[in-house]
Structure formats: structure tokens, C-alpha cells
Amino acid sequence: MTAVVLVGDFPSTGVLQATVAQRVAVEGHGDEAAPAFVDHMEYALRRRGAVLVLYPAWKRSRAQRLVRLARSALLTDRIAGLPLDVPPLALSLVADQLTFASAHARPGVLATLAHRLCATLHAGAWVNSVARLEHVKTGLGAHVSSYLPGGGFSVTAGAHPEVHRITAAKPVPRLASRPADPVLMLVADANGDAGWLQSRMRPVLAAVTSTAVAPQPMSAEYWGTKKYTEFVAFSGHPHALRSLLAGSSYRACGWCGEPTALPECPFCLMVQPAREAAPTEAVPPGHPQRPHPQPSGAQPPRPQPLPPQPLPAQPQPPAPQHVQRPAAPPQPSWPQAPHPPAPHPVQPPQVRPDEEAPPTRPQYPHHQDGGPPSAPPDQTDDAPSLTTLLDDAAPRRSAAPDSPPERTPRTTPDDEWREGTVIFRPQRRR
């Protein structure tokens, strides 16, 4: 279970008499407020195990310091501070509702429920002037109208803040939303116009009951005037809290494991990762797309009339049958080497019989060993030429000019010795 503590001067509304949130007043106690608050937190932790501290967001400075002091003094993270931006009467009601739900929800879920309750409430007041209204955004025209005699303003706070000047043409503002049926209303009158609330505002909210409660001590500070009539409307359905609990998607905190739907864990103050959007289904090509949903005011398309059916066709003579040719053999799938083009034969030049053939230049063969070319042999004389005689008298060389020359074994005397040299000794004949 979780202990719900409301910091400030916010008396209970008395709607839920069985379960009432704990109230801790810290205004005007001086230096004694801090030790008393730490002792109260220690007692609540021993009994419940977790504490959810509520305080107004428009007056958070002192309550926020006390929560940090208690967490540091007790060395625990099971104390969560939760600021709520709602008027005093609505804040007192939310604290009692959370105490009622604390027996059925975990601490992290209870902190998420507090924000959802504030969003479903309709809180506001009738005030005679908005000249000193600071907690709700007010336009310049409304500030100027506050100095005119008579009249009043309808101020809505919470999820949809709005300032509306009450006139005979527009006695009530236009509501953006209202709680689920049945609607219950709490009214706290402090020298305001309670008749306007009962005759004008209550029929618009469709409230089945209107309960008068004592004014909150901090309401005059919030509304900026001493003449006001504060109200709060909420759903009295027995399953209203259950539907709010089931309507949120919770995720366990990655640090402390507490389930929560808030962007920041209220206990360990760990920022939660952003939720990923659901992926859209991709439509494959060739498939029909799904029709988009039409708005509620749009009319469905009218059905198109069916086209006229064609008359039956007249019988026609059968078409001549074509003789199917045998299919060609399948070609190999592997690539084939291209055939080189056939070389064109080179024809020798033709010589006419009456013309003489052109003289041809004699070709002199080169010598194999790279020497000078030899003279052409005499075709008419069989005697050897001078060049042939010189070639026969010269020593013969090997046919392969690139091969290394042959080594000749070297004879060495018997008494000669060289290290690393092979010595060949000639054999003597006996």
C-alpha cells in the first residue's frame, strides 16, 4: 500500500469519509516544520512502504524542499513528490480519491492516476474580478473589464483553462468536455453568486447532485479575490476509477522497476524512454488498399448501378486449326566462344606477259651468333668463297648463345691446398 500525504492547508471535503488523505500543514511553523515532516515521512514509510506527497504546483517551493530533505535524511527513494496544477477544492478531492485507490494500485500506478484524475475533473469558479488572477492565463480585455461595475467572470482551471465574461447573451462558457455520467458537484461559496451556479452552470454540466462544502483556506489566494464561488464536477460512476486505471499503458522503470506511465519515474526520477510508434503495414504492390475511415458527419457513397448485361453472342464457325511446328531444340545456356573470322587470302600481284617483273631486292641472311652478314653465295660457281673459308677456320661456337660457357677443370699441384675449392688430381698410369 501507499500513504498519500497532502502538504498545505487543505481540509477534507468529506465526500469519502472512510478514506481520507493525511494532511500536513507547513505554513507558519518556522524551523519546526522540517523535523516534523521528516518524522511523519519515517512513520508513513514504516507502515506503508511508500509515500506519495501531493502539493500544489502553483505553490511548490517549500513543499519541494521538504520532500528532498526527507529523501536525503532517510536515505530512501520511496518518497515521491507530485505537484498538481488544480484549484484547492479539486486538489483536496483528488487526494481523497487517491487514498481510496491506494489499497488496489501500486505506487507508480497511483502517481499516474493522479494526473488522469486532474484531467477528467471540471474545476472552476465564479469571481467578481480577474484583475489579480495569476494562475490562469487572462487576456487584456478581461483585465480591463474587471474595473467596470457589476457583472462577473466564469474561470475554468485544470486541463482547459479559460476566462469567460458573463453577459446576458452568453451567460455560460462553452464546455470543451464534461465528466462521465452521473456527474456530481461540490460547491464552496464565499460571498459569490451561488444562484448563477445553480441556475446556469449546473444544467450545462448535467449534474445530478450539488453538495455544499466549506471553503478552502487557500482558495482566496488562488482566485485572487475574496468574492468567489468555487465548484468541482466529477464522475460518480462506481467504475470510474477502474476505467482510469485500465486506460493507461504502464511500463516498468528501468532503474527501480516501478510501473509507471509518466515520462519520469516519480520515485527514482529516472527519465523513461520514449514509446515507439506502431509500425504501419506496408501494402504490397498489386493489392487493393484498405478504405480510410470516413468522419461521422460524412455520408456513405451511393451504390453505383450495375452495367447492362450484353446480349448472348451469335455462334460463329470454328476457326481453322493451325499446325504446330516442332519446337526448336533448346540452346545451351553457357556462353560459346566466338569463332575468329576467316583470314582473307592474299593474292600475289599478277604480271602481264608483255610486262617485266619488278626487280626484287636480295635478302641477306643474318648470322646466328650476331656477327656481320655473310655475302651471298655464288649460284654459278661451285668454288668456296673467302667468307666460307674464314668461317671454317674460325673456332666453332655453341648453338645456344644464352647458355653459360663450360667450365674446364683446373689442375693443381699435389702440395697446393685451398679451403672451399675442389681440387682435381689426375690419375697416374701404372
Side-chain angles (χ1 to χ4, degrees):
M1 298 179 64
T2 308
V4 180
V5 179
L6 181 58
V7 178
D9 193 4
F10 300 96
S12 176
T13 58
V15 177
L16 302 174
Q17 299 179 1
T19 55
V20 178
Q22 304 176 22
R23 265 76 173 178
V24 178
V26 295
E27 298 295 337
H29 291 276
D31 298 337
E32 299 179 357
F37 183 80
V38 174
D39 294 342
H40 191 88
M41 293 294 103
E42 184 181 6
Y43 176 75
L45 282 175
R46 287 200 307 263
R47 293 193 58 187
R48 300 297 178 90
V51 183
L52 185 62
V53 182
L54 306 179
Y55 52 89
W58 40 273
K59 198 174 185 180
R60 67 171 72 191
S61 58
R62 189 167 187 181
Q64 198 170 17
R65 289 197 302 267
L66 290 175
V67 171
R68 292 177 179 176
L69 176 62
R71 289 169 61 98
S72 302
L74 301 177
L75 299 178
T76 180
D77 60 350
R78 303 306 295 168
I79 301 177
L82 201 63
L84 300 179
D85 192 9
V86 290
L89 185 61
L91 182 58
S92 181
L93 175 64
V94 169
D96 293 341
Q97 288 180 327
L98 291 178
T99 305
F100 175 78
S102 62
H104 311 281
R106 297 189 59 177
V109 177
L110 203 65
T112 307
L113 179 62
H115 288 277
R116 299 208 64 185
L117 280 174
C118 296
T120 56
L121 297 178
H122 186 84
W126 177 95
V127 296
N128 64 336
S129 174
V130 293
R132 297 182 179 180
L133 183 61
E134 300 178 358
H135 307 297
V136 180
K137 186 178 180 180
T138 309
L140 180 61
H143 275 286
V144 175
S145 301
S146 299
Y147 295 97
L148 300 177
F153 297 87
S154 172
V155 183
T156 304
H160 305 282
E162 183 184 2
V163 176
H164 172 72
R165 178 173 174 80
I166 300 175
T167 59
K170 295 181 179 180
V172 291
R174 183 178 179 180
L175 301 182
S177 61
R178 56 183 294 273
D181 294 326
V183 179
L184 307 181
M185 181 183 294
L186 300 180
V187 180
D189 185 21
N191 301 323
D193 191 356
W196 171 85
L197 188 63
Q198 296 293 336
S199 61
R200 297 292 185 177
M201 196 65 186
R202 181 178 174 179
V204 174
L205 292 173
V208 295
T209 60
S210 177
T211 305
V213 297
Q216 296 288 326
M218 302 183 68
S219 294
E221 179 183 355
Y222 182 86
W223 299 113
T225 180
K226 294 183 179 180
K227 293 183 178 181
Y228 64 90
T229 303
E230 187 177 6
F231 67 92
V232 56
F234 61 99
S235 176
H237 198 277
H239 301 293
L241 293 178
R242 182 184 301 177
S243 62
L244 291 178
L245 287 173
S248 301
S249 56
Y250 305 95
R251 182 170 18 181
C253 177
W255 183 262
C256 64
E258 193 67 38
T260 180
L262 300 177
E264 181 179 339
C265 180
F267 290 92
C268 67
L269 307 180
M270 180 71 177
V271 178
Q272 305 300 312
R275 301 182 181 271
E276 300 180 356
T280 57
E281 297 181 359
V283 180
H287 289 255
Q289 299 182 357
R290 298 180 180 179
H292 297 281
Q294 298 181 358
S296 57
Q299 298 182 359
R302 298 180 180 180
Q304 299 294 337
L306 298 177
Q309 299 182 0
L311 297 177
Q314 299 293 334
Q316 298 180 1
Q321 298 182 359
H322 298 278
V323 179
Q324 298 183 358
R325 298 180 179 179
Q331 300 294 335
S333 57
W334 57 84
Q336 299 181 2
H339 297 281
H344 297 280
V346 179
Q347 298 180 0
Q350 300 180 1
V351 181
R352 297 181 181 179
D354 56 347
E355 295 182 1
E356 296 182 358
T360 58
R361 187 176 181 179
Q363 301 293 334
Y364 301 95
H366 294 278
H367 201 268
Q368 294 183 357
D369 56 357
S374 58
D378 191 3
Q379 301 293 337
T380 59
D381 192 1
D382 296 339
S385 63
L386 179 61
T387 306
T388 305
L389 297 176
L390 291 176
D391 290 344
D392 295 338
R396 298 292 182 177
R397 295 184 180 181
S398 59
D402 296 339
S403 60
E406 297 181 357
R407 294 184 180 181
T408 306
R410 180 180 179 182
T411 58
T412 308
D414 297 342
D415 57 346
E416 184 179 357
W417 171 260
R418 292 182 184 180
E419 184 178 0
T421 306
V422 180
I423 299 175
F424 298 91
R425 294 180 179 181
Q427 295 182 2
R428 299 178 181 179
R429 296 181 179 180
R430 292 182 184 180

